Amino acid sequence: MPHDDSPPPTRRARPLSVAAALAAVCLTAAGCGGGPETGEAGAAPPRPGADAASPTPSRPPAKGPLTGRTVVIDPGHNPGNRDHTREINKQVDIGTGRKECDTTGTATNDGYAEARFTLDVSHRLRALLEAEGARVRLTHDADRPFGPCIDERARIGNEAKADAVVSVHADGSAVGNRGFHVILPAGVEGGGADTSKIVKSSADLGARIAEHFARTTGSAPSNYIGGNTGLDTRDDLGGLNLSTVPKVFVECGNMRDPKDAALLTAARWRQKAAQGLADGITSYLKG
């Protein structure tokens, strides 16, 4: 669930068309993926000594095909948000209006929080990208009481001059609504927002992530947003509106659907999700 709020019930999805190959990959992959599995084996814990006011820096990267490239990973929400509702309800400027600083995110019916999911997948993704030589930065590592706010999340990617920014999320929709979708920035210009220079590059990043995510996880594109393309374009998310570098949000599945929740709570599937994201990012950066 994007921390900038979910779409209102009456909002119609605005899908982008993608290559027929993507649709074929996604449709044939439907129904695959790991089964239920508890625990978060393989997730790296927050690094000790991290500055609570700063995004978590990466380890010195290895040499590899992504050497010299910078990727910012934005784990959606923060586990501490639920204890700081006053602070996260504060309105911030998103360029075309104002929205809450952040939200608590959603959770499965059994209480597995989106914030836990996003941090676990982000740790796995960081390790995969660093192994390829990328310099990786997290917007937070549960190393601060709450947040960061949506405007600060965008600013972290901008100031890092990131080659790509990926915000990791999971949706909270109705039972029967299944699958992943990648949210792309719309053309927005107003206030402090101007996405004109990143719309095309972000769409390329998003399409590559959608293709590889479907192939690696076996999950199909969302059956309720994006017209079965796995892609949706939005103009109401501050994290995208305020970005000056290529950026997308990825809703990895629907936490409120039992079948999707079984995947999202499985450590084995989360590793596949991280690999799909890493492969899509790598494909984009290598051109």
Side-chain angles (χ1 to χ4, degrees), residues 179-194:
F180 74 90
H181 64 278
V182 182
I183 304 175
L184 313 176
V188 171
E189 188 172 353
D194 182 0

Side-chain angles (χ1 to χ4, degrees), residues 123-176:
H123 286 156
R124 296 169 187 272
L125 176 57
R126 175 176 62 188
L128 292 168
L129 292 173
E130 287 182 337
E132 294 296 306
R135 177 178 182 268
V136 181
R137 198 177 192 103
L138 267 61
T139 59
H140 78 94
D141 204 353
D143 49 3
R144 52 192 294 164
F146 64 92
C149 294
I150 55 180
D151 55 343
E152 183 183 353
R153 288 172 186 264
R155 189 161 57 249
I156 290 168
N158 297 344
E159 291 177 352
K161 295 181 172 56
D163 296 292
V165 183
V166 174
S167 189
V168 181
H169 287 268
D171 209 359
S173 189
V175 173

Side-chain angles (χ1 to χ4, degrees), residues 99-122:
K99 273 197 169 182
E100 292 85 356
C101 158
D102 203 353
T103 69
T104 60
T106 189
T108 67
N109 293 332
D110 292 333
Y112 180 60
E114 180 186 1
R116 285 180 60 197
F117 169 83
T118 63
L119 198 59
D120 180 69
V121 172
S122 295

Side-chain angles (χ1 to χ4, degrees), residues 21-22 25-26 29 180 209-219 276 279:
L22 170 58
V25 168
C26 296
F180 74 90
I209 287 176
E211 178 182 358
H212 286 277
F213 193 88
R215 180 181 298 155
T216 304
T217 65
S219 290
D279 290 346

Side-chain angles (χ1 to χ4, degrees), residues 47-60:
R47 290 174 184 147
D51 180 357
S54 303
T56 302
S58 67
R59 298 180 180 91

